[in-house]
Amino acid sequence: MESLSSRMQGVQSPIIPVVGELIKKSPGTISLGQGVVYYNPPPEALEFLPKFFAEPANNLYKSVEGIPPLLSALAGKLQAFNGIEINQENCIVVTAGSNMGFMNAILAITSPGDEIILNTPYYFNHEMAIAMAGCRPVLVATDENYQLRKDAIAQAITPKTRAVVTISPNNPTGVVYSEASLHQINQICGTRGIYHISDEAYEYFTYNGVKHISPGAFDNSSEYTISLFSLSKSYGFASWRIGYMVIPKHLFVAVKKVQDTILICPPVISQYAALGALQAKEEYLKSNIGAIAQVRQVVLDSLNRLQGLCSITPANGAFYFFLKVNTQMDAFELVKRLIQEYKVAVIPGTTFGMDDGCYLRLAYGALQKETVKEGIERLVQGLETIVRN
């Protein structure tokens, strides 16, 4: 049958499986590619699973927005950590990961042809979701330190704009936006009658005393702020697929339509595991993220050897560094050579919308002190040899 054209032809292919295939062909490759953590969910997550099996009706569909005990536990977490109060103006919807929360939001607030403002470098799944919805991503460059440019964002707003997207701590750059900067964007959105979609999947991953800020906690922001969260990173929950969104109450019906069509309800067994994970002692997050902070320092120390060869912007969040390599080489070609010749994998910056040079995203969350030295050494040696030659 002749291939039929569809809206998917205009959507970029996800890069992680592409790099994954290259890794398979080079056994022994250390991956600095995919953004996952090295650690497992807390034992409390598994301890809650018998509660799921003890309830015979749990094989049936449950509420579209999530089971009541989990919604209650999330409300407590949001109040305590994020300063977001769940009240009559907003509500929580549990999702199959925060990527689904983003797709829910885009489908709920747009019509085909509408515009969503993304700051570059953007998170590739955000750009893909906007394209899938038949909308147009409007790209606004961040500054030389990958910080938001509020005036440029304000100037990019048109009558077709429906939202501005921010990610803090940021994927792919690792930078954390200041409270003042996020407040300015939030105010612009409120004044212009558009939504602020705040992706906070890396909320716990901050370093050097930097604090995470949730725009949903700002005064009078409940009506136009959509906050996205995930257990995938902080609780080692990648395959369990549990995230959640805090949305204005007036979007609840629209979001439920989307979620009921795509998912019906979040996986109930995973919701029980999430409920257990939220009972974990504070030490669970503190110790695991503390270990990642130590890995981060090893990475930084090694990257300093690349001064002059790469530009490395300071980043106090997530578990990424975004390198600008001083070369005319194509980023994907460089990635392929690093895998094939040095058995180390990173992600090309082109997939994050950076076409004006050679950029690489380096992820260190999956590494431990034993593997990070070898992985980063391979990367440094590879860049020094390939680029200088």
Side-chain angles (χ1 to χ4, degrees), residues 15 18 77 87 142 168 176 188 194 203 251 296-297 303 379:
I15 192 65
V18 174
K77 174 266 175 186
N87 50 40
T142 49
S168 182
V176 181
I188 290 169
I194 61 178
E203 57 185 329
L251 290 178
R296 173 182 177 274
Q297 192 57 51
L303 289 179
L379 178 66

Side-chain angles (χ1 to χ4, degrees), residues 39-193:
Y39 56 88
N40 294 320
E44 290 87 347
L46 303 183
E47 289 165 5
F48 259 65
L49 296 186
K51 297 178 185 291
F52 168 82
F53 291 112
E55 175 52 63
N58 274 340
N59 64 307
L60 303 175
Y61 297 130
K62 298 299 178 183
S63 299
V64 176
E65 65 269 28
I67 58 174
L70 181 55
L71 293 172
S72 178
L74 291 172
K77 174 266 175 186
L78 287 162
Q79 178 76 67
F81 183 78
N82 305 95
I84 297 176
E85 180 185 358
I86 301 303
N87 50 40
Q88 298 303 311
E89 298 175 355
N90 59 11
C91 58
I92 303 168
V93 176
V94 179
T95 58
S98 61
N99 272 5
M100 182 174 187
F102 187 82
M103 191 83 238
N104 284 354
I106 295 300
L107 291 174
I109 68 173
T110 66
S111 297
D114 284 344
E115 297 172 351
I116 304 291
I117 293 176
L118 296 180
N119 297 283
T120 56
Y122 53 65
Y123 172 45
F124 54 86
N125 282 134
H126 285 175
E127 189 268 346
M128 292 165 69
I130 293 164
M132 286 180 193
C135 296
R136 189 172 80 89
V138 174
L139 308 183
V140 175
T142 49
D143 69 16
E144 66 277 5
N145 292 316
Y146 302 122
Q147 292 291 333
L148 300 171
R149 296 164 58 233
K150 69 178 191 306
D151 292 339
I153 290 171
Q155 289 169 11
I157 296 172
T158 75
K160 289 190 173 183
T161 305
R162 294 294 170 263
V164 175
V165 179
T166 61
I167 311 169
S168 182
N170 189 262
N171 178 9
T173 66
V175 303
V176 181
Y177 301 145
S178 69
E179 180 172 3
S181 182
L182 287 169
H183 205 281
Q184 289 165 344
I185 302 305
N186 208 256
Q187 285 186 319
I188 290 169
C189 291
T191 302
R192 303 292 285 272

Side-chain angles (χ1 to χ4, degrees), residues 306-342:
L306 295 173
Q307 295 291 342
L309 199 66
C310 294
S311 299
I312 304 155
T313 298
N316 285 311
F319 34 75
Y320 305 113
F321 287 112
F322 202 64
L323 313 182
K324 182 176 184 181
V325 187
N326 299 326
T327 178
Q328 297 300 311
M329 281 187 71
D330 174 76
F332 187 64
E333 276 303 309
L334 179 54
V335 167
K336 284 200 291 187
R337 287 192 60 183
L338 286 167
I339 294 172
Q340 292 163 355
E341 299 172 25
Y342 289 88

Side-chain angles (χ1 to χ4, degrees), residues 29-39 288 291-296 298-299 319 344-346 362-377 379:
T29 296
I30 294 176
S31 178
L32 306 175
Q34 192 161 25
V36 292
V37 294
Y38 73 90
Y39 56 88
N288 284 315
I292 287 180
Q294 292 179 359
V295 167
R296 173 182 177 274
V298 173
V299 172
F319 34 75
V344 62
V346 288
L362 182 164
Y364 55 86
L367 303 179
Q368 293 179 269
K369 291 181 87 172
E370 309 82 65
T371 51
V372 67
K373 288 183 180 177
E374 177 64 23
I376 198 67
E377 188 63 27
L379 178 66

